Amino acid sequence: MLNQWDGSLTLNEDNGTILSTMLGAGRKNSNNTFSGVLIGDIQTGTGNSVDTNTLTGVYGLHEG
C-alpha cells in the first residue's frame, strides 16, 4: 500500500495547502512493514488488474 504511492502531490503556498492522494503517519520497520494510519486512496491486492482494488478511507495498520 504505502510502497505503491507514486509521490505525487500538489503544493499551493499561496493558500497554505498540500494535496496528495495518500497521507500516512506512523513508522516503517526494518523488515519493511508499516504500523500507523493511512488516509486516502489505498490499493489492495497483488498489483495485477484482477486482484487490485482501490479503496478510499482511513486505515490503521499494525506491522502490515
Side-chain angles (χ1 to χ4, degrees):
M1 285 182 257
L2 187 61
N3 289 336
Q4 295 174 354
W5 181 58
D6 66 3
S8 298
L9 59 93
T10 301
L11 298 174
N12 184 331
E13 293 183 24
D14 293 336
N15 294 323
T17 58
I18 300 172
L19 301 175
S20 176
T21 58
M22 184 186 302
L23 170 71
R27 178 174 299 174
K28 198 168 188 182
N29 301 319
S30 60
N31 61 354
N32 203 30
T33 60
F34 178 78
S35 293
V37 177
L38 293 177
I39 302 170
D41 292 338
I42 311 297
Q43 288 188 346
T44 63
T46 60
N48 64 38
S49 61
V50 175
D51 295 333
T52 300
N53 293 313
T54 300
L55 306 171
T56 301
V58 178
Y59 299 91
L61 301 169
H62 176 70
E63 297 180 2

